Amino acid sequence: MAFEGLAGRLQNVFSKLKGKGKLTEDDVNEALREVRLALLEADVNFKVVKEFVSKVKERAIGQEVLQSFTPAMVVVDIVNKELTELMGGTQSKLARSNRPPTVIMMVGLQGAGKTTTAGKLARMLQQQNHRPLLVAGDIYRPAAIKQLQVLGEQLKVPVFAMGDQVSPVEIAKNALQHAKDNGNDYIIMDTAGRLHIDEALMDELKHIADAIKPDETLLVVDAMTGQEAVNVAESFHKQLALSGVVLTKLDSDTRGGAAISVKAVTGCPIKFAAMGEKMDALEPFHPDRMASRILG
Ligand code: GDP
C-alpha cells in the first residue's frame, strides 16, 4: 500500500513524542528533524520539505502547543493540516463545460498509465450517468488503439477511432463533431506518449489542444517514479498549461514523494489517484484523506 515507509516512520516519531507528556522546544525540534528525514527519504522534493518543516515549526513552537495538556496531539494536528495544505487543501474537481461536450485530454509519458486511466475515467463518468466518448489518439504505439477499443467494449463505452494513418489533430476534430452528433457529454482523448519528453511530442499535443480547446488537460504520471514524476509534471505544465494531474500506481508506491510534492512544486492540483490495474481503481484525490492515510 502507498506510503508504508513514510507512515511507519512518522508514526514512530509521534509515538515517541506522545510518550513524553509536556514538551520542550528541543523535543519539538528533535521530532521535526526526524519528520524532515522521513520526508526526504520518501523522496519529497527538498525545497518542499524545507518549507513544510519551517511552517510546522513556526506553529508548533508557539505557546499553545508547549502549554497544552496533550502537546504531541497538537503537533500531529498541525502536521496533518499542513500536509493537507501542501497537497492542495481541498479536493479539485473535474471541470464540466456548460457547453457540452466537456473535453478531457489525457497526456503523459509512455507507460504512465494514460490509456488505462482514460478507461477508468470513462467508467467513473458513466457511473455518474454521463455519456463519455473515448477517443483513440495514440496512433504511434501499435497496440494503443486496440487497447482502448478493448477497454471500451468491456465498459460499454463507445470508442472513436480513425486508425493510425490520420493525424491526431484530425481525429480530435472529428471526435468532437461525433460527440456533438451523438449526445456524448464528455470526450476523453487518449494521446501518444514517448519514453522521454521531446519537442515533437509537445508540438503534437499543443496542436491537438489548439484544435479542440480542452476543458481539462490531465497529465498522467507514475507515482513510483517519485521526483521524476514531479519533474515531468513541471515540464508538461510549462508547455501545456495542465489543469490537473492523475497519479497512477499509488498501490505500488511505498514512498509517496510524488503525491506530496506535485502540487507544491508545479501549482497544479492532483485530481485523481489510481491504485491498481482494474477499471474501478480510480479515486478522486482528497488531500485531507491522503494526509490522514500518511499519518496513520
Ligand atoms: P500508457 O502508455 O500511458 O497508455 O500506459 P498504460 O495505460 O498502457 O499502462 C501501462 C501499464 O501500467 C499497464 O500494464 C497498466 O495495467 C499499468 N497501470 C496503469 N495504472 C495503474 C495503477 O494505478 N496501478 C498499477 N499497479 N498498474 C497500473
Side-chain angles (χ1 to χ4, degrees):
M1 194 46 226
F3 307 126
E4 267 161 20
L6 180 59
R9 284 196 61 165
L10 291 179
Q11 277 156 28
N12 268 343
V13 177
F14 294 132
S15 73
K16 250 195 269 169
L17 211 57
K18 282 174 192 156
K20 287 196 166 158
K22 277 258 174 224
L23 296 183
T24 63
E25 202 169 313
D26 281 349
D27 293 328
V28 174
N29 281 331
E30 173 58 24
L32 290 181
R33 213 172 359 254
E34 286 176 41
V35 168
R36 183 175 152 269
L37 287 175
L39 289 171
L40 287 173
E41 217 159 275
D43 203 23
V44 179
N45 174 287
F46 77 96
K47 274 193 212 147
V48 172
V49 174
K50 203 169 160 206
E51 264 171 47
F52 176 78
V53 171
S54 88
K55 262 192 204 161
V56 172
K57 189 179 278 184
E58 202 176 291
R59 293 182 60 186
I61 298 288
Q63 292 304 310
E64 177 203 350
V65 174
L66 300 181
Q67 291 181 359
S68 153
F69 287 110
T70 53
M73 297 299 284
V74 184
V75 174
V76 174
D77 188 50
I78 293 172
V79 171
N80 191 333
K81 287 200 175 112
E82 290 295 337
L83 207 50
T84 303
E85 258 335 284
L86 199 59
M87 290 188 285
T90 50
Q91 189 213 343
S92 188
K93 294 204 169 117
L94 196 67
R96 186 171 179 182
S97 168
N98 45 23
R99 291 199 3 220
T102 299
V103 176
I104 304 172
M105 187 167 137
M106 314 293 295
V107 303
L109 294 181
Q110 196 167 309
K114 232 179 310 94
T115 307
T116 313
T117 304
K120 289 173 179 172
L121 209 50
R123 178 185 181 273
M124 187 181 273
L125 288 167
Q126 192 185 36
Q127 287 189 328
Q128 295 164 5
N129 293 321
H130 292 293
R131 299 190 61 214
L133 175 70
L134 284 163
V135 182
D138 180 357
I139 60 168
Y140 307 106
R141 184 161 64 93
I145 298 176
K146 186 75 196 153
Q147 187 185 346
L148 201 65
Q149 283 167 333
V150 169
L151 284 179
E153 254 166 56
Q154 187 187 324
L155 298 168
K156 302 198 168 36
V157 169
V159 176
F160 184 87
M162 294 176 80
D164 58 6
Q165 299 300 313
V166 180
S167 81
V169 171
E170 278 310 305
I171 295 172
K173 284 187 195 158
N174 280 284
L176 193 57
Q177 191 55 48
H178 182 92
K180 284 179 187 159
D181 295 344
N182 290 275
N184 297 110
D185 58 350
Y186 278 88
I187 284 188
I188 305 169
M189 169 113 186
D190 191 21
T191 62
R194 306 254 153 95
L195 288 177
H196 303 285
I197 294 172
D198 63 34
E199 223 170 291
L201 169 68
M202 285 300 170
D203 280 349
E204 177 171 297
L205 295 174
K206 280 185 209 164
H207 287 140
I208 300 172
D210 282 346
I212 56 171
K213 306 271 181 295
D215 301 287
E216 285 278 1
T217 305
L218 293 180
L219 173 72
V220 179
V221 285
D222 176 346
M224 284 169 72
T225 62
Q227 282 320 289
E228 188 44 32
V230 178
N231 295 338
V232 167
E234 229 182 344
S235 306
F236 269 84
H237 194 37
K238 272 191 196 133
Q239 306 240 21
L240 283 174
L242 302 172
S243 58
V245 171
V246 181
L247 272 186
T248 61
K249 311 188 194 182
L250 268 182
D251 51 309
S252 321
D253 173 36
T254 53
R255 294 181 301 171
I260 296 173
S261 321
V262 161
K263 171 67 170 55
V265 173
T266 65
C268 196
I270 299 171
K271 293 206 169 173
F272 296 96
M275 314 212 173
E277 293 185 88
K278 295 219 177 87
M279 281 296 112
D280 59 358
L282 185 73
E283 296 172 12
F285 185 83
H286 294 276
D288 54 344
R289 288 187 208 162
M290 206 49 88
S292 301
R293 193 179 289 197
I294 294 167
L295 294 173

